[in-house]
């Protein structure tokens, strides 16, 4: 059984392995031992913190194969970005150049540096090992965060965003950054990406162009990737779109990958979630009308979620689950679970 849970100190070797496997462009897991350990400490502190206002908390989850004990993926939630460190995007918009005298009218795309998502909740650090990219694992890793947010809404903002990895090649070269590097910087994309990942962002304010960039002045290669995602990221953005996330013109300042957003109460999984009191049976009858669902307990530091097939009662207040599932979710008779269809 695949179980999503908060990260623990003992997960450090697995987190380091995932950071190594994730490659270039995965800013939130830099290959830096001290920073990775700090991420674990920060997450554990966030889960233990009593608060009803989102601030600098960061919740890091791991996906564990309960049969082998192997950690096979990560996902995370930043409660509110940009409150203690500037959070940058480019916003893609249009300006109109027109002249009635000359009978000229032209709409031109521009990119403007901004901090518009300051205070938003961010979904991040989603990674699943290749051999586990099957079944419901990807959906469990991603969507279980919505159930966690739903159960602890006061800890998060009304707007939820997700930055999608932009286009880069196997060597970590980004066509968009290549243009920026040529005109404004003297460092390659992996270096800039790494510096951002370890929190050294002052160079952005110092070196990024202060005025809007006309998209038609970019190289053809750079123009082609504005708002586009890396091939490995396509399943993730399609999943978020199915949840109601939309692209509103904000792109990453390094690789021009899209950022998508949704209001918490408009997210499909949150709208569809049902709550039940638990009955525990040693053995359940065959699930004749079972459907794949996410099921999670309502705990904070003890949060557990998994994906199973269940007969979900319509309009009922109780649900009977197996003792095995109850143990996996660390719940007992009478506890509350949340359930949403996959």
């Amino acid at each position: 059984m695949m179980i999503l849970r908060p990260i623990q100190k003992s997960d450090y070797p697995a987190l380091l392995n995932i950071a190594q496997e994730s490659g270039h462009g995965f800013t939130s897991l830099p290959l830096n031992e001290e920073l990775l350990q700090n991420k674990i400490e920060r997450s554990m502190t966030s889960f233990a913190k009593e608060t009803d206002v989102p601030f600098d908390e960061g919740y890091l989850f791991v996906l564990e194969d309960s049969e082998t004990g192997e950690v096979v993926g990560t996902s995370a939630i930043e409660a509110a970005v940009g409150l203690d460190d500037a959070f940058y995007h480019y916003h893609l918009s249009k300006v109109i150049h027109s002249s009635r005298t000359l009978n000229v009218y032209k709409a031109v795309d521009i990119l403007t540096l901004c901090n518009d998502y300051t205070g938003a909740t961010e979904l991040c650090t989603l990674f699943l090992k290749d051999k586990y990219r099957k079944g419901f694992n990807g959906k469990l890793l991603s969507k279980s965060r919505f159930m966690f947010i739903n159960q602890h809404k006061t800890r998060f903002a009304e707007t939820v965003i997700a930055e999608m990895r932009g286009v880069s090649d196997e060597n970590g070269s980004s066509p968009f950054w290549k243009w920026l590097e040529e005109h404004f910087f003297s460092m390659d994309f992996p270096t800039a990406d790494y510096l951002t990942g370890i929190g050294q962002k002052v160079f952005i304010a110092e070196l990024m162009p202060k005025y809007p960039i006309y998209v038609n002045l970019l190289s053809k290669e750079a123009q082609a990737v504005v708002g586009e995602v890396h091939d490995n990221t396509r399943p993730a953005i399609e999943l978020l779109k199915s949840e109601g996330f939309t692209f509103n013109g904000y792109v990453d300042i390094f690789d021009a990958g899209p950022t998508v957003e949704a209001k918490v109460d408009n997210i499909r999984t949150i709208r569809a979630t049902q709550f039940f009191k638990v009955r525990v049976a040693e053995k359940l009858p065959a699930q004749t009308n079972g459907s794949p669902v996410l099921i999670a307990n309502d705990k904070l530091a003890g949060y557990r979620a998994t994906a199973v097939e269940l007969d979900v009662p319509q309009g009922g207040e109780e649900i009977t689950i197996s003792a095995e599932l109850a143990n996996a979710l660390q719940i007992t008779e009478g506890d509350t679970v949340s359930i949403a269809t996959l």
Side-chain angles (χ1 to χ4, degrees), residues 132-190:
Y132 286 91
R133 293 177 184 177
K134 58 186 178 181
F136 303 128
N137 294 341
K139 290 183 178 181
L140 169 60
L141 194 56
S142 180
K143 292 188 176 188
S144 54
R145 293 176 295 185
F146 301 141
M147 301 180 80
F148 183 81
I149 290 171
N150 192 37
Q151 292 161 355
H152 308 284
K153 277 188 178 179
T154 60
R155 303 176 81 95
F156 301 101
E158 291 183 3
T159 299
V160 181
I161 66 170
E163 293 184 315
M164 299 286 102
R165 184 176 178 180
V167 176
S168 61
D169 63 22
E170 62 276 6
N171 298 315
S173 177
S174 159
F176 184 75
W177 179 261
K178 187 175 181 181
W179 184 88
L180 283 175
E181 178 187 357
E182 180 181 347
H183 295 281
F184 298 99
F185 293 85
S186 297
M187 68 178 76
D188 59 18
F189 174 64

Side-chain angles (χ1 to χ4, degrees), residues 124 207 219 249 280 291 333:
C124 55
L207 299 177
S219 67
V280 180
S291 57
E333 184 106 1

Side-chain angles (χ1 to χ4, degrees), residues 275-279 317-320 334-337:
F275 296 90
F276 297 93
K277 291 291 184 183
V278 167
R279 296 291 183 191
E317 296 181 354
E318 295 183 347
I319 189 167
T320 301
D335 285 346
T336 299
V337 293

Side-chain angles (χ1 to χ4, degrees), residues 146 160 243-245 262-272:
F146 301 141
V160 181
E243 287 287 331
F245 282 72
K263 296 299 182 184
V264 166
D265 291 334
N266 291 337
I267 296 172
R268 189 198 68 82
T269 292
I270 289 177
R271 288 190 288 109

Side-chain angles (χ1 to χ4, degrees), residues 1-65:
M1 188 180 297
M2 307 303 297
I3 302 295
L4 184 118
R5 60 169 175 80
I7 198 166
Q8 304 167 352
K9 281 186 178 180
S10 58
D11 295 317
Y12 170 72
L15 187 64
L16 177 61
N17 177 263
I18 287 172
Q20 292 168 336
E21 190 173 326
S22 61
H24 299 297
F26 203 64
T27 313
S28 56
L29 282 184
L31 266 176
N32 182 298
E33 180 176 343
E34 181 181 359
L35 285 173
L36 290 177
Q37 289 179 337
N38 287 345
K39 279 184 175 291
I40 295 174
E41 289 287 347
R42 176 172 174 247
S43 178
M44 293 174 65
T45 299
S46 298
F47 278 107
K49 182 178 180 180
E50 292 186 10
T51 183
D52 58 3
V53 177
F55 186 54
D56 63 348
E57 299 81 30
Y59 306 91
L60 182 55
F61 304 90
V62 294
L63 187 64
E64 179 182 351
D65 185 337

Side-chain angles (χ1 to χ4, degrees), residues 100-271:
R100 289 188 177 181
T101 304
L102 300 177
N103 195 29
V104 172
Y105 179 95
K106 190 171 182 62
V108 181
D109 290 329
I110 60 170
L111 292 169
T112 307
L113 194 66
C114 69
N115 308 107
D116 290 359
Y117 280 130
T118 297
T121 290
E122 183 190 13
L123 305 174
C124 55
T125 323
L126 180 69
F127 187 81
L128 183 61
K129 290 186 175 182
D130 280 342
K131 70 176 182 178
Y132 286 91
R133 293 177 184 177
K134 58 186 178 181
F136 303 128
N137 294 341
K139 290 183 178 181
L140 169 60
L141 194 56
S142 180
K143 292 188 176 188
S144 54
R145 293 176 295 185
F146 301 141
M147 301 180 80
F148 183 81
I149 290 171
N150 192 37
Q151 292 161 355
H152 308 284
K153 277 188 178 179
T154 60
R155 303 176 81 95
F156 301 101
E158 291 183 3
T159 299
V160 181
I161 66 170
E163 293 184 315
M164 299 286 102
R165 184 176 178 180
V167 176
S168 61
D169 63 22
E170 62 276 6
N171 298 315
S173 177
S174 159
F176 184 75
W177 179 261
K178 187 175 181 181
W179 184 88
L180 283 175
E181 178 187 357
E182 180 181 347
H183 295 281
F184 298 99
F185 293 85
S186 297
M187 68 178 76
D188 59 18
F189 174 64
T191 302
D193 205 40
Y194 176 76
L195 288 174
T196 301
I198 64 174
Q200 296 185 17
K201 300 181 181 179
V202 66
F203 74 94
I204 298 173
E206 292 174 341
L207 299 177
M208 274 290 181
K210 305 297 188 296
Y211 300 102
I213 297 173
Y214 280 70
V215 174
N216 60 359
L217 298 182
L218 299 174
S219 67
K220 295 298 183 185
E221 294 80 7
Q223 290 182 46
V225 301
V226 173
E228 297 297 321
V229 297
H230 192 283
D231 285 342
N232 292 346
T233 306
R234 293 193 185 281
I237 194 170
E238 291 305 318
L239 185 151
L240 290 175
K241 286 180 178 179
S242 73
E243 287 287 331
F245 282 72
T246 57
F247 172 59
N248 292 320
Y250 292 90
V251 300
D252 184 77
I253 60 174
F254 295 137
D255 60 19
T259 291
V260 292
E261 67 173 271
K263 296 299 182 184
V264 166
D265 291 334
N266 291 337
I267 296 172
R268 189 198 68 82
T269 292
I270 289 177
R271 288 190 288 109

